[in-house]
Amino acid sequence: MFEAKKPGVMASLVAVLAGLLGVLGVLQYRWIGTLGEAEATRMHRMLHLSTTGFAGAIYEPLGRLQERFLLDPGGGEAALAERLALRYQQWRASSTHPGLLSALYHVAPQPDGSLRLARFHPEAGTLVPLAWPEALVPWRVYFAHVGEAPVAPATPPGLPVPLLPRSAADRPGFLLLLLDETYAAETLFPALARTYLLGGDNSDYDLLITAHDDPARVLFQSGAGSLDGSPDATALLGLGGRVEVSTRSGNNEETLVTILRSDSVEVSDLEVRATETERVLVGPSLGSRAAQGASVQPWRLEVRHRAGSIEAAVARWRRRNLGVSFGILLLLGGAAVLLMVSARRARRLAAQQMAFVAGVSHELRTPLAVIRSAAENLADGVVEDLAQARRYGALVDAEGRRLSALVEQVLVLAGAQTQTPPAREPLDLAPFLEGAVARCQRTFEQEVPIELRLDDDLPRVRADARALEAALCNLLSNAYKYGDGWIGMEARLQADAGPPLVALTVRDRGAGIPADELPHLFEPFFRGRAAREAQMRGSGLGLSLVQNMAEAHGGRVDVESTPGRGSAFTLYLPADV
Ligand code: ADP
C-alpha cells in the first residue's frame, strides 16, 4: 500500500516543481523585459546628455572666438587693423584652441553696392585688400544678402562678426573669421570625442562627423562600425546647434531634442533650461543682437551604437540575460529531476536489499529445516538401518551444498563489487564445458538432459574457470527453473564483425520473459513477477553475477526471449587468438 502511493506523490511533486519553474520562467522573462526597457531609456538619456555636452563643447570655443572680435570699428582702417592686432594677440594668448582660427578678413560694403575684401596679416598687423578668392565666393554671396538672414555657408567654415555702425551713414561691414577645419578634425574633435562620447559609459559608440553641406566629406570617424541604418543621435555642430536622440521602445517613439543657441539673456557660462519636450542650452552672451541671430553650423555629427543601434544592443543584452536565467532554471529543474531519480533509485535499492535479505533467509530456511529434521531423526534413533542412514547422509550433504552455493553466490557478488580482477588462464572450451555442464547438472533436483552443441574449431578463451563455471551454471539453473524440461547449450566462434568472440548460448523452451522485465533482468536482486508469484527459489542475484563476470572478462551478456516460446541467454567472451 505504502509503495503504491509513491508514484502518485512523486508525479504531483514533479507537477508542482514544473509549475513553479514555469511561473519563475514567466516572471524572469517579464522582469528582464522591464529591465531591458529601463536600460534602453537610460542609454538614450545618457547618450543625449553626452551628445549635448559634445555639441556644447564645440559651441563654447567658437562663441568665445566670435566674442573676442566684437569690436569698435571707429577711426578708419588703420585703427581697425590696430584693434584687430590686439584682439588677435589676446585670442592667441588666452584660447585653449588658438589653432581654430585660420584667417581673418574684413568685408566692407562699398557705395556702389560691391563688397571690398581685406585680409588681416597678424605678423605685420595690417589689413591688405585683395580680390575675392574663388573659395570665399559663398561668403561673398552670404554677405551680399545679409539683410535677408541667409544661412551661413558650411564650406569653408567661418564665423561672421558684424561691426556695429556708429551712425546711420556708417557702414563698417563685417569680420569673417575663417576656421581651420584640419585643426578641428585632427585636434578639436578627437579630444572632445574622447571626453564626451568615447569613454566610460559611452565606449560602445561609433562617431562620424561630416561637413553639414556634404555628408560624403568625412572629417572625423571613430571605430570601423557600419554607417548603415539611422543613427542613435545626430547633432548639428557649430555656433549654436541641435541635438536629437531618438528612442524606440515597443511601439513608442520618443525624440529628445536639445537646441543650443545664443540668447539675449545675460549669462556668462553655459547653462541648461529644461522645458517639457525641449531643452534649450543657452550659450555665452555675445552682447550683440545681430551676432546672436547668426547660426553657423558647418558640421554634422552622427552617433551609432556598435551593435547597430541602442535597441539592438538592448535586445542582445536581453537575449544574453534570458539565456543565463533560463539556463539557471533548466539547471535547477535538471538538478531536481536528478534528485528525484536518485531518491527513487535509492528507495528501490533499499527495497531490493530488503527483498534480498528476505530471499536469502528464505533460501537458508529450507535446507536448514531439512538438515535439522534429519539430524533430529538421527539423534532420536528413528533411523535404524544403514541404508536409511545413507539416505539421510545424502540429504544432509545435498542441502549443505545448496547452502554453500548460496553463500558462495553472496560472496562472489561482494567480491565483484570490490572490483578485484579475475585470475585468468587459457581454457580449452570443449573439455571445460563438458565438465562444467555435468557438474552443474548434478545440482538439479530432477534429471534434465542438456543438449550440448559445440563447434569444432572453438578457440581458447582466457578466463577464471571457477567464475565462468559459476556463471554458466547460473544460466543453466535458470533454464532448469524457468524452462519446460529441455535445455540447450551451444558454443560457437563469432568472427564476422570486430574482434573474434566466443558465444556461449543457453536456451530453454519455457514461458519466456515479459518485455517490460527485460531491461531490469541484470539488476542485482531483480526477480520476475512470475518467479515471485510462484515462490520459485532464488535470490535475484544470478543474472547480475553473470553480467559482472562477463564484463570483468571484457565480454558481455545478451538475452532474447519470446513469451510463450522460451529464452536464450548468450555470454560473449573475447577469443584468445
Ligand atoms: P533468480 O533466478 O534467483 O530469481 P536471476 O538473477 O537468475 O535470479 O534471474 C532474475 C529473474 O530473471 C528471475 O527471477 C526470472 O524472473 C528471470 N529469468 C531468468 N532466467 C530466466 C529464464 N530462463 N526464463 C524466464 N525467466 C528468467
Side-chain angles (χ1 to χ4, degrees):
M1 286 303 282
F2 172 73
E3 274 300 315
K5 273 188 184 162
K6 286 286 169 194
V9 174
M10 200 60 113
S12 38
L13 249 174
V14 168
V16 167
L17 202 77
L20 265 176
L21 284 179
V23 169
L24 258 177
V26 170
L27 285 179
Q28 289 261 42
Y29 184 82
R30 287 209 190 139
W31 184 58
I32 287 173
T34 313
L35 272 185
E37 273 172 32
E39 175 66 4
T41 309
R42 188 192 69 84
M43 284 171 84
H44 278 108
R45 297 266 145 94
M46 285 303 294
L47 180 63
H48 181 227
L49 221 63
S50 311
T51 312
T52 303
F54 182 80
I58 286 179
Y59 182 2
E60 213 252 2
L62 297 184
R64 298 224 175 275
L65 175 61
Q66 197 187 39
E67 198 176 23
R68 177 66 65 190
F69 286 95
L70 284 171
L71 41 81
D72 178 3
E77 202 166 89
L80 179 65
E82 222 170 87
R83 278 186 213 113
L84 282 178
L86 185 66
R87 296 294 177 101
Y88 185 82
Q89 268 167 23
Q90 286 173 348
W91 157 258
R92 302 275 321 169
S94 66
S95 172
T96 40
H97 296 287
L100 207 50
L101 180 62
S102 74
L104 214 165
Y105 293 92
H106 177 217
V107 179
Q110 300 302 300
D112 62 359
S114 66
L115 291 165
R116 175 176 171 273
L117 185 71
R119 178 168 182 161
F120 176 68
H121 290 271
E123 318 77 44
T126 52
L127 276 165
V128 180
L130 75 167
W132 282 89
E134 188 62 33
L136 292 186
V137 170
W139 281 104
R140 192 178 65 187
V141 175
Y142 169 81
F143 286 119
H145 296 88
V146 83
E148 302 151 29
V151 175
T155 315
L159 302 178
V161 185
L163 296 169
L164 295 185
R166 299 188 132 196
S167 65
D170 199 10
R171 302 180 71 197
F174 302 86
L175 293 178
L176 172 60
L177 313 175
L178 270 198
L179 300 177
D180 186 339
E181 206 160 59
T182 312
Y183 175 84
E186 288 174 3
T187 311
L188 183 66
F189 296 157
L192 295 181
R194 269 196 303 277
T195 308
Y196 290 92
L197 280 165
L198 295 177
D201 213 32
N202 293 315
S203 50
D204 291 332
Y205 292 101
D206 281 335
L207 247 72
L208 176 72
I209 299 178
T210 57
H212 184 179
D213 58 355
D214 180 8
R217 198 154 66 80
V218 175
L219 300 173
F220 175 72
Q221 186 175 9
S222 81
S226 151
L227 302 179
D228 302 336
S230 55
D232 290 302
T234 56
L236 292 180
L237 306 174
L239 196 61
R242 180 183 174 84
V243 177
E244 279 189 26
V245 180
S246 288
T247 332
R248 289 173 296 275
S249 67
N251 293 330
N252 299 333
E253 184 157 349
E254 186 195 9
T255 304
L256 302 168
V257 181
T258 294
I259 295 169
L260 290 89
R261 61 182 166 84
S262 52
D263 202 281
S264 55
V265 182
E266 285 285 334
V267 277
S268 55
D269 265 313
L270 297 175
E271 75 172 37
V272 176
R273 271 202 331 224
T275 65
E276 262 179 18
T277 54
E278 179 177 283
R279 284 154 162 244
V280 179
L281 197 75
V282 180
S285 163
L286 303 180
S288 147
R289 245 170 288 125
Q292 286 150 19
S295 173
V296 187
Q297 288 150 4
W299 304 302
R300 186 168 184 280
L301 164 75
E302 289 186 357
V303 187
R304 280 181 179 80
H305 197 282
R306 292 220 170 106
S309 68
I310 288 182
E311 282 72 29
V314 169
R316 205 162 63 183
W317 173 91
R318 222 179 132 209
R319 276 199 301 279
R320 213 176 33 226
N321 277 292
L322 275 177
V324 169
S325 9
F326 283 132
I328 289 173
L329 282 185
L330 222 71
L331 214 74
L332 218 72
V337 167
L338 261 177
L339 217 74
M340 278 185 206
V341 167
S342 69
R344 246 173 88 163
R345 221 178 116 90
R347 241 197 348 261
R348 211 178 57 218
L349 271 176
Q352 279 176 350
Q353 272 165 4
M354 281 309 292
F356 168 68
V357 171
V360 168
S361 311
H362 186 263
E363 283 292 290
L364 291 173
R365 211 159 51 186
T366 321
L368 280 176
V370 173
I371 290 169
R372 273 181 55 194
S373 69
E376 260 171 37
N377 286 352
L378 282 171
D380 293 350
V382 176
V383 180
E384 280 163 5
D385 62 56
L386 195 62
Q388 211 178 358
R390 282 213 172 108
R391 273 210 316 280
Y392 268 80
L395 194 66
V396 170
D397 179 47
E399 293 304 320
R401 274 177 203 278
R402 261 175 63 185
L403 279 180
S404 304
L406 183 67
V407 170
E408 191 69 14
Q409 265 196 344
V410 174
L411 287 179
V412 170
L413 182 76
Q417 278 167 2
T418 54
Q419 302 284 319
T420 16
R424 293 200 241 165
E425 58 200 75
L427 281 184
D428 265 329
L429 275 173
F432 166 76
L433 287 176
E434 277 159 13
V437 167
R439 277 187 294 279
C440 187
Q441 215 169 6
R442 281 204 287 277
T443 63
F444 298 168
E445 278 151 10
Q446 281 158 25
E447 206 167 305
V448 170
I450 297 177
E451 211 175 294
L452 197 61
R453 272 199 289 153
L454 308 179
D455 276 7
D456 293 337
D457 53 350
L458 279 179
R460 294 204 218 181
V461 292
R462 286 181 72 79
D464 176 342
R466 253 166 58 97
L468 180 55
E469 183 171 330
L472 285 173
C473 194
N474 262 318
L475 294 179
L476 290 168
S477 306
N478 280 353
Y480 168 77
K481 277 196 286 183
Y482 306 112
D484 71 339
W486 176 89
I487 302 174
M489 170 143 191
E490 297 146 29
R492 70 201 135 77
L493 173 69
Q494 188 173 297
D496 40 356
L501 296 172
V502 171
L504 306 172
T505 305
V506 176
R507 286 181 200 282
D508 64 67
R509 294 180 185 146
I513 301 162
D516 65 321
E517 290 184 356
L518 284 175
H520 306 290
L521 229 48
F522 297 96
E523 290 173 6
F525 311 114
F526 176 80
R527 304 211 66 208
R529 256 188 317 276
R532 271 183 282 136
E533 280 163 12
Q535 298 207 324
M536 297 261 211
R537 274 201 310 206
S539 56
L541 284 177
L543 288 181
S544 108
L545 282 171
V546 173
Q547 191 178 46
N548 272 326
M549 178 266 154
E551 284 171 1
H553 282 76
R556 66 191 156 85
V557 57
D558 267 357
V559 58
E560 273 174 44
S561 184
T562 320
R565 310 257 316 258
S567 315
F569 287 82
T570 304
L571 191 62
Y572 295 94
L573 294 175
D576 188 25
V577 286

